[in-house]
Amino acid sequence: MTTADLDARPRTAGAFSPEDARRDVPVLHRTVNGRPLVWLDNGATTQKPRQVIEALAAYYAGANSNIHRGAHTMAREATEAYEAGRAAVARFLGAPSPETVCFVRGTTEAINLVAQSWGRANLGPGDEILVGALEHHSNIVPWQLVARETRARLVPVPLLADGSIDRRAFEGLLSYRTRLVAISHASNTLGTVPPVREMTALAHRYGARVLVDGAQAVAHFPVDVGELDADFYAFSGHKLYGPTGIGALYGKPEVLAAMPPWQGGGNMIEQVDFTGSSYAPVPHCFEAGTGNIAGVVGLHAAIDWLTSFGRAEVAAYEESLLEYAQQALASVPGLEVLGSAPGKIAVLTFTLAGSDPGEVAQWLDRDGIAIRAGHHCAQPSLRHYGLDSAARASLALYNTPEEVDRLTDSLLRLRRSAG
Ligand code: PLP
């Protein structure tokens, strides 16, 4: 079978066509090594629409100022833009108010904020932090650091063979020692979408807090933190078609209100004296120093861009593209995809018999196709399959079946050349 034989090519789903998105993203129209670029490294970072690029340029060209200080017009304008970005993130996440959103550098910083602020204040000897075995290192290492300090314990939540969470094991691990459950809303290696709402409800029965790592989720499907009932939700702008260096942490109002600041400096204080300082209200007390103001403007533009397409249509398109890609890759002899949990996002981590993942990525790069190879900062998830390294193609709304064909054809040629 060749990929051209495959039926049900997902060209459009409902009102959404990937061409609508591609038109807006300039870098997708460049060549790499003499071939039109095929960007399949969206799990690492997404490409940016001109709406985001133009918003950044317009901010610096016409509106740059520091915020929350200075009684002048541009400071006021920059402050308004920054706070409008906060309101946009709150709406995007279904958060009850903008004050529940803290700006951070990205998911990693958001999780470190919770670990260092909430964790140091709430964890003690013998307490347990349940962490999914599919987590990114940024949802493992910050907990290890605070666990060492507080003598709490990290407990991995095991996976089933298809890469889904072992729900029964999870239930069995929960106890009144559990203080926190840290879980991804979508895995960056296996694509698994854990049953976060159900897990949160179970964790809450024991009084545990739940942090959801939404880094890989937010670009793929709509999120409603109210419905999830999550205590914390973290994501990065750059995986959502926005700029690098900006992300957000949502926290339930009562949880944030009880947390001490984690970094001190300007912008996060009310009064400073050598005898002591008082802090600005939430969320400003978690935003010490000058923030990434342009990044917030760009993130706002990215949210507007993504939500200008029907989210349900985009999700349906990505689902059909994933199905198409799974069928296409099944035609490559010796290729095995890791993770087949129902409802997974469009992430295809794979091994190819006889080829090192690094060689696979280099081969594809010669054809202008960008994928990732290595441990994907989620080593425990690969070890679940007895691996240290794998190749990964991660799809986004602007990817097309033709691009999947180019990936498949290139891999078939690699197989043939390897004999
Ligand atoms: N969590 C997951 C699931 C990820 O995939 C990533 C990045 O790949 C991160 C966290 C870390 O994101 P960032 O590097 O933007 O902080």
Side-chain angles (χ1 to χ4, degrees):
M1 183 178 68
T2 71
T3 54
D5 297 328
L6 293 169
D7 50 0
R9 281 181 156 216
R11 285 184 198 283
T12 58
F16 178 73
S17 156
E19 294 308 326
D20 298 342
R22 293 185 76 75
R23 208 170 296 130
D24 287 337
V25 184
V27 83
L28 296 178
H29 304 284
R30 67 165 279 182
T31 57
V32 169
N33 297 323
R35 304 289 314 275
L37 168 67
V38 176
W39 183 258
L40 300 179
D41 197 14
N42 295 289
T45 200
T46 52
Q47 297 301 352
K48 317 306 173 200
R50 66 182 162 72
Q51 288 84 342
V52 169
I53 300 165
E54 284 167 9
L56 289 171
Y59 172 76
Y60 279 125
N64 177 53
S65 168
N66 213 324
I67 55 167
H68 300 305
R69 60 175 94 148
H72 58 74
T73 302
M74 284 172 63
R76 262 195 312 280
E77 285 174 6
T79 304
E80 278 166 21
Y82 192 76
E83 294 306 326
R86 198 189 303 279
V89 170
R91 281 193 302 276
F92 181 68
L93 293 179
S97 76
E99 289 71 38
T100 58
V101 172
C102 315
F103 284 122
V104 286
R105 275 195 300 131
T107 309
T108 304
E109 190 171 69
I111 298 171
N112 277 279
L113 189 168
V114 177
Q116 291 301 313
S117 170
W118 181 90
R120 285 162 93 181
N122 288 281
L123 295 170
D127 286 344
E128 293 183 348
I129 307 162
L130 267 52
V131 176
L134 44 57
E135 296 307 309
H136 189 276
H137 297 163
S138 64
N139 205 15
I140 300 175
V141 183
W143 304 117
Q144 283 174 332
L145 291 172
V146 72
R148 190 179 307 153
E149 215 174 295
T150 59
R151 298 186 23 232
R153 218 163 68 85
L154 230 67
V155 181
V157 180
L159 304 177
L160 299 174
D162 68 355
S164 53
I165 295 285
D166 185 337
R167 296 180 196 209
R168 208 174 301 156
F170 173 67
E171 273 200 72
L173 289 170
L174 282 169
S175 76
Y176 288 103
R177 283 189 305 274
T178 312
R179 303 287 290 146
L180 184 95
V181 174
I183 189 77
S184 277
H185 207 184
S187 153
N188 67 317
T189 49
L190 310 178
T192 307
V193 178
V196 167
R197 194 168 56 156
E198 185 188 322
M199 291 173 76
T200 302
L202 285 168
H204 283 167
R205 280 195 210 156
Y206 293 89
R209 297 285 178 203
V210 178
L211 177 138
V212 184
D213 170 351
Q216 294 293 338
V218 283
H220 294 290
F221 52 82
V223 170
D224 185 333
V225 290
E227 194 197 321
L228 293 175
D229 201 25
D231 298 287
F232 300 104
Y233 197 98
F235 76 90
S236 303
H238 72 101
K239 295 186 196 285
L240 185 70
Y241 312 104
T244 52
I246 188 68
L249 171 72
Y250 156 82
K252 277 189 180 163
E254 67 276 17
V255 183
L256 289 179
M259 280 165 48
W262 77 305
Q263 290 181 334
N267 284 333
M268 53 76 72
I269 52 85
E270 201 78 76
Q271 292 277 341
V272 176
D273 203 309
F274 282 111
T275 55
S277 303
S278 57
Y279 309 121
V282 172
H284 308 290
C285 61
F286 298 115
E287 295 177 358
T290 298
N292 186 352
I293 306 161
V296 171
V297 170
L299 175 59
H300 190 168
I303 289 174
D304 284 351
W305 181 73
L306 178 60
T307 53
S308 74
F309 306 110
R311 298 273 349 244
E313 281 88 12
V314 168
Y317 171 70
E318 287 187 10
E319 205 178 301
S320 62
L321 187 64
L322 170 67
E323 231 167 83
Y324 180 75
Q326 280 170 324
Q327 279 188 54
L329 291 184
S331 69
V332 181
L335 188 147
E336 273 187 49
V337 173
L338 273 56
S340 54
K344 68 179 272 182
I345 56 164
V347 167
L348 292 150
T349 298
F350 62 91
T351 55
L352 189 61
S355 298
D356 172 76
E359 287 165 18
V360 175
Q362 276 175 20
W363 171 277
L364 292 170
D365 184 49
R366 270 181 247 138
D367 279 342
I369 303 166
I371 65 151
R372 196 164 181 98
H375 56 55
H376 311 290
C377 300
Q379 287 177 322
S381 74
L382 293 191
R383 285 201 198 106
H384 178 63
Y385 294 94
L387 297 168
D388 289 326
S389 172
R392 181 186 70 185
S394 44
L395 311 176
L397 83 173
Y398 43 56
N399 290 126
T400 64
E402 291 74 17
E403 290 182 315
V404 170
D405 292 349
R406 280 196 40 207
L407 169 71
T408 311
D409 292 344
S410 185
L411 290 170
L412 283 168
R413 270 188 283 111
L414 171 58
R415 277 298 289 175
R416 281 197 293 275
S417 79

